[in-house]
Amino acid sequence: MHLAYPAVLSALLFCTGLYGVLARRNAILVLMSVELMLNAVNLNLVAFDVWLSRAAEETLHSGQALTLFTITIAAAEIGIGLAIVLAVHRNRGTSDIDKLRDTAEGHETDGPDGEAHTAEPDAEKAEATA
């Protein structure tokens, strides 16, 4: 098999994951997109390892060993990442990245009824009476 087939497939997987990271606002979907990008890198590592082992006299399989380390790190990352996302969702009620960033920075946030709440309730009363 030619090296171009897995290289093109991994490029498509990586681009799909990159689009998911840049376009999605749900934290779980962003984590899934990062995993997709890591799997594209793993596919490249294994494909180049097989291609280089055919050309070289010795078969070290360092690409496959590095892929195992990457899979282990990715499993730990997704476990910790999902635990953090679930804890934040339990405390804040949302996993939307934009809303979480706005609440962390102290901007106005939408309440459960969809209305914007400000930090000063007296200002709303003054505007309502004027």
Side-chain angles (χ1 to χ4, degrees):
M1 181 164 61
H2 295 286
L3 182 63
Y5 298 129
V8 168
L9 179 62
S10 68
L12 290 174
L13 283 174
F14 192 85
C15 290
T16 304
L18 185 65
Y19 173 74
V21 167
L22 295 177
R24 301 292 180 192
R25 295 296 167 226
N26 190 349
I28 295 174
L29 292 177
V30 170
L31 285 174
M32 288 174 59
S33 298
V34 169
E35 290 295 320
L36 194 62
M37 290 169 42
L38 284 174
N39 285 331
V41 170
N42 288 338
L43 180 63
N44 254 344
L45 284 172
V46 171
F48 276 99
D49 180 47
V50 169
W51 183 64
L52 289 175
S53 69
R54 287 183 187 165
E57 297 287 328
E58 56 192 46
T59 56
L60 207 64
H61 298 297
S62 58
Q64 293 178 12
L66 189 59
T67 298
L68 287 176
F69 286 120
T70 307
I71 289 171
T72 306
I73 297 297
E77 175 252 337
I78 199 69
I80 292 172
L82 280 176
I84 291 171
V85 168
L86 288 175
V88 167
H89 186 274
R90 195 174 294 154
N91 289 337
R92 305 264 174 119
T94 184
S95 61
D96 188 11
I97 294 174
D98 289 334
K99 289 182 182 177
L100 293 176
R101 183 178 44 215
D102 289 343
T103 57
E105 293 174 355
H107 296 292
E108 296 179 2
T109 59
D110 292 339
D113 53 357
E115 296 178 359
H117 297 285
T118 58
E120 299 177 7
D122 296 332
E124 289 179 359
K125 290 180 183 177
E127 289 177 7
T129 57

